Amino acid sequence: MKEFIKNLKFAWNYTKDQKLKLILLFFINILAIIVSILMPIYYAKIMVELSNNNLFNLFIVAIILAFIELARSLINYFNRLIAQIIYKDSFTKIQIELGKETLKLENKVMEENGSGVFIQRLSSDASSLADIFYNLFEYITNLLAYLGKYVGIFIISKIVFLYVLIATILLAIIEKVRAKKINEKDKLVREKKESTSGFIAELVRGNRDIKMLNAEEPFINEFQNKIKDANNELFKMQGIRRKYNLLSSILNNILDFIIILIMIYLLMKKYLIPVNAVILWNYSSVLYGVDYFGRIVDIIKNFNLSAKRVFDVIKGEEFSKEKFGSTHLPHINGDFEFKNVYFSYKKEKVLKGLNFKVNANETVAFVGKSGSGKTTIFNLLCKMYEPQKGTITIDGINIKKLDKDTIRGNITIISQNPYIFNMTIRENLTLVKENLTEEDMVEACKLACLHDYIMTLPKKYDTMIGEGGINLSGGQKQRLAIARAFVQKTEIILFDEATSALDNETQEMIQKAIDNMKKDYTILIIAHRLSTIINADRIMFIEDGVIKNEGTHKELLKNCESYKHLYESELKSRK
Ligand code: ADP
């Protein structure tokens, strides 16, 4: 209960600005209670007037009853309407906050947990949180209505009341057992769902690659195992519900039958008049409502589970968030340094005391075997991960002290396969700079050697990319990412050259685009083809987690055997 109150307070943050609607909902619910108590009385009155053959009175009662029925329909309608408005607004708020907080999570958290964990929390868990207030209102209203009926039964017949009370206790015990069993299963079902929704996301996102790898069958087999497992658990949970529903409906029938027997006895003994028997019969439907107790327990438990899961993301207790310093530099020069940096993703050390300095507006290339840690250097510079030892500075300041905008707002990564959003070309560019002028946009695309291609497209800059639009080649994607970098005008640009072979023309265009950046930006290039970086100011040869050698292309050819070897083998492979 303590946990529930704590979670309720947390959920209240997302609903509190809807107090007025909640108050309105409260009054509507009170009306609903009154109507539910009045109805059986008026139905009984109809019976009386029917038996008395008093047509005028019958007419009056029928009119009142019609109004009550109409009121019930309207109450139901407005109840739903207001409840759904509250739900919509709270759900939106929670999802937006969760979305924001999910973007703050550390990269390693995402990698370790997989996307499913967060997709579930952003969707169904957020939904349970948004549900809670109107659900509680609804159940409490129903409980109050039942309470009113118990009072009614008590007033009409103490014997029937005693019987109903005993029956209620019996049904409540069964309900409690059911709720406990369901709750245990529910936890498991959610865990399974998380793992399947991650897999479903993979199936959709990796659709193309799965097909290219011709891996449909093994993928589907794995998919099948996961889905089957999750759906079986769900079925088992529904099984518990099914069994208990059957049990309680049979029991309810028996209890109803016993009530009739009791009432026959009371009527025979003249302890009860027929009108009151009709009202009693209506009121005794309270027994069907005993599972409301159980359902409230279900809702509370379900809510507690969801609240914890949402809480974990928002508060970052279970999943750590990225941490930044508070120093903000409005402008950076763009020089940076790695001092004795050690880093490992898991156990194996990737960087082992890395030292280097890059001056502002220099173009520096990194060369080394695949897996030698080049991309890791980029990741650390953007603070996607934190080094275990050593320091990284930008403009002489430890990046631990710098705020997010100073780091990420001044560095652009152009990766091997840059992420291009499923939007128009213009939107992809305005996404990184809101008030981008037409001239600046065109200029950036010209520098990125992409403008001419864009002009051949039917809708030019307003052409959609991706689903429902055109597909860009790897080289075009990289050039669009380069245009994005020109638009952002960040001082530091990290360029991860595409490993896949690009045709000569594309290669030249990318080369030209990079040349256009030189001198105005600090550029770091991961080179997969040495021909690209012959003109770099400096080349660092990285091996075994450290810089083995550095210098210009010519110097390295002279001083570094490994580099020379790499260059020669590349020349050979081109012949
Ligand atoms: P390069 O860019 O030189 O090819 P990387 O920096 O990408 O090399 O990788 C260096 C090493 O770190 C590799 O052994 C790679 O398997 C490992 N690695 C890279 N990224 C991760 C990650 N997110 N989690 C665990 N290991 C990783």
Side-chain angles (χ1 to χ4, degrees):
M1 200 60 194
K2 223 166 119 188
E3 193 193 346
F4 177 61
I5 305 273
K6 190 186 104 196
N7 290 333
L8 214 53
K9 274 189 195 157
F10 169 59
W12 180 240
N13 288 326
Y14 303 97
T15 311
K16 65 180 171 201
D17 53 357
Q18 304 189 66
K19 276 188 210 106
L20 271 181
K21 284 182 213 120
L22 278 170
I23 292 171
L24 198 61
L25 196 63
F26 174 74
F27 282 112
I28 289 181
N29 281 332
I30 297 279
L31 281 178
I33 297 173
I34 296 172
V35 166
S36 76
I37 292 174
L38 282 182
M39 272 191 22
I41 298 176
Y42 278 88
Y43 272 113
K45 279 195 174 174
I46 292 248
M47 306 273 296
V48 175
E49 303 305 344
L50 269 175
S51 58
N52 288 349
N53 215 356
N54 187 337
L55 291 184
F56 180 72
N57 281 356
L58 186 64
F59 178 67
I60 298 290
V61 176
I63 285 183
I64 295 174
L65 198 59
F67 272 109
I68 294 177
E69 285 283 8
L70 179 68
R72 191 164 75 140
S73 307
L74 289 176
I75 286 168
N76 270 343
Y77 173 78
F78 283 108
N79 193 344
R80 298 243 144 263
L81 176 70
I82 296 171
Q84 282 164 3
I85 293 174
I86 295 173
Y87 171 78
K88 169 188 70 110
D89 291 350
S90 308
F91 190 34
T92 309
K93 262 188 151 177
I94 298 171
Q95 278 193 310
I96 291 174
E97 172 132 11
L98 259 175
K100 268 193 209 157
E101 296 303 320
T102 308
L103 282 176
K104 288 185 194 161
L105 295 172
E106 279 189 3
N107 273 296
K108 67 170 196 282
V109 169
M110 277 294 186
E111 283 166 8
E112 282 163 11
N113 292 282
S115 55
V117 170
F118 300 99
I119 294 174
Q120 278 294 317
R121 288 168 206 239
L122 266 155
S123 44
S124 59
D125 288 321
S127 174
S128 313
L129 231 71
D131 266 350
I132 190 67
F133 288 101
Y134 81 75
N135 262 339
L136 272 186
F137 262 54
E138 191 167 316
Y139 284 103
I140 290 171
T141 311
N142 282 320
L143 272 186
L144 287 177
Y146 285 130
L147 229 58
K149 289 178 185 173
Y150 277 107
V151 173
I153 296 173
F154 181 78
I155 292 170
I156 298 171
S157 164
K158 310 280 182 292
I159 296 178
V160 175
F161 175 76
L162 193 68
Y163 167 73
V164 169
L165 199 64
I166 293 169
T168 303
I169 293 168
L170 180 70
L171 288 170
I173 292 170
I174 294 176
E175 196 47 45
K176 196 166 172 338
V177 178
R178 183 198 69 92
K180 190 163 173 265
K181 285 202 172 164
I182 289 279
N183 195 250
E184 281 162 10
K185 261 280 175 270
D186 192 27
K187 231 179 187 163
L188 191 69
V189 168
R190 278 171 197 241
E191 276 162 20
K192 299 268 176 195
K193 261 194 187 166
E194 276 186 350
S195 105
T196 47
S197 61
F199 220 75
I200 290 169
E202 202 106 48
L203 184 125
V204 177
R205 220 180 315 128
N207 190 292
R208 195 183 138 98
D209 297 285
I210 296 167
K211 285 192 257 183
M212 299 272 273
L213 288 167
N214 197 23
E216 290 96 330
E217 214 176 297
F219 195 88
I220 283 295
N221 286 344
E222 189 59 25
F223 183 59
Q224 196 174 320
N225 290 343
K226 284 215 155 75
I227 293 280
K228 262 191 181 167
D229 198 23
N231 290 349
N232 278 342
E233 287 304 332
L234 184 69
F235 182 72
K236 280 185 204 159
M237 185 167 98
Q238 290 165 339
I240 299 175
R241 286 219 170 95
R242 272 193 311 275
K243 263 189 245 157
Y244 278 88
N245 281 348
L246 181 66
L247 180 69
S248 72
S249 72
I250 291 174
L251 206 63
N252 269 314
N253 283 337
I254 296 171
L255 294 172
D256 273 355
F257 182 67
I258 298 175
I259 281 202
I260 294 176
L261 292 184
I262 294 175
M263 287 203 298
I264 291 173
Y265 171 76
L266 294 175
L267 282 167
M268 273 165 47
K269 291 274 173 191
K270 304 258 186 271
Y271 291 145
L272 197 65
I273 52 168
V275 178
N276 282 348
V278 174
I279 298 176
L280 265 186
W281 176 244
N282 268 303
Y283 281 174
S284 72
S285 65
V286 281
L287 288 180
Y288 290 104
V290 173
D291 62 350
Y292 267 112
F293 294 107
R295 268 190 249 165
I296 289 187
V297 176
D298 268 1
I299 284 201
I300 291 176
K301 291 210 167 144
N302 187 18
F303 165 74
N304 277 344
L305 263 179
S306 290
K308 182 180 174 330
R309 290 151 55 86
V310 169
F311 208 67
D312 283 343
V313 177
I314 290 184
K315 294 287 169 193
E317 276 164 15
E318 190 185 327
F319 305 118
S320 45
K321 300 262 172 78
E322 292 186 308
K323 289 173 206 74
F324 293 95
S326 55
T327 308
H328 179 74
L329 305 179
H331 175 77
I332 66 160
N333 293 323
D335 55 86
F336 59 87
E337 189 172 2
F338 276 54
K339 290 184 204 162
N340 200 28
V341 169
Y342 284 79
F343 178 77
S344 51
Y345 290 97
K346 290 188 179 123
K347 266 191 201 141
E348 205 184 322
K349 280 203 175 72
V350 178
L351 303 181
K352 303 168 186 168
L354 192 71
N355 283 295
F356 69 88
K357 187 173 188 317
V358 172
N359 300 315
N361 302 340
E362 224 185 340
T363 300
V364 173
F366 281 88
V367 180
K369 279 195 206 127
S370 158
S372 57
K374 302 178 297 287
T375 314
T376 306
I377 295 173
F378 282 18
N379 288 338
L380 293 184
L381 189 58
C382 294
K383 218 163 173 280
M384 291 293 176
Y385 301 89
E386 306 235 3
Q388 278 90 27
K389 214 175 129 191
T391 47
I392 300 168
T393 61
I394 293 180
D395 279 12
I397 302 173
N398 190 334
I399 61 168
K400 277 190 177 164
K401 292 190 183 149
L402 295 174
D403 69 358
K404 184 167 87 68
D405 283 348
T406 305
I407 301 171
R408 305 256 169 95
N410 280 302
I411 302 177
T412 313
I413 289 196
I414 302 164
S415 65
Q416 287 181 15
N417 189 9
Y419 195 83
I420 305 295
F421 295 92
N422 184 202
M423 301 173 176
T424 64
I425 296 174
R426 184 188 302 279
E427 284 164 343
N428 262 286
L429 294 169
T430 49
L431 191 78
V432 293
K433 190 160 192 237
E434 265 175 285
N435 304 318
L436 181 68
T437 63
E438 186 77 22
E439 292 84 54
D440 285 350
M441 180 178 71
V442 172
E443 173 73 12
C445 288
K446 278 186 179 162
L447 287 171
C449 302
L450 194 64
H451 176 74
D452 292 343
Y453 169 70
I454 294 172
M455 295 317 277
T456 64
L457 298 172
K459 289 189 177 168
K460 302 192 166 60
Y461 279 88
D462 293 309
T463 309
M464 280 289 286
I465 304 173
E467 274 169 48
I470 53 148
N471 276 322
L472 295 183
S473 71
Q476 286 159 343
K477 274 190 195 168
Q478 275 214 325
R479 278 181 284 147
L480 183 55
I482 292 174
R484 250 183 345 207
F486 278 124
V487 164
Q488 272 183 299
K489 289 198 169 54
T490 59
E491 288 304 322
I492 301 172
I493 294 172
L494 311 178
F495 184 79
D496 194 352
E497 190 186 53
T499 37
S500 53
L502 301 173
D503 60 81
N504 276 344
E505 200 186 340
T506 311
Q507 181 71 32
E508 270 170 33
M509 278 199 259
I510 289 184
Q511 189 59 49
K512 199 167 160 234
I514 298 173
D515 288 343
N516 286 336
M517 289 176 171
K518 275 187 183 165
K519 304 293 170 224
D520 293 326
Y521 299 90
T522 306
I523 307 173
L524 224 66
I525 306 176
I526 295 179
H528 300 287
R529 274 172 295 274
L530 301 186
S531 51
T532 340
I533 51 153
I534 287 174
N535 295 328
D537 298 329
R538 250 182 324 147
I539 299 168
M540 314 245 193
F541 191 82
I542 178 163
E543 199 175 74
D544 206 18
V546 290
I547 310 274
K548 267 278 149 71
N549 232 314
E550 65 166 278
T552 60
H553 175 64
K554 276 187 186 155
E555 285 166 352
L556 282 181
L557 279 182
K558 237 195 266 166
N559 308 330
C560 179
E561 268 307 308
S562 310
Y563 182 81
K564 193 173 163 210
H565 185 71
L566 204 69
Y567 183 62
E568 281 168 357
S569 62
E570 191 181 308
L571 280 185
K572 255 190 228 151
S573 69
R574 258 193 276 161
K575 275 179 192 160

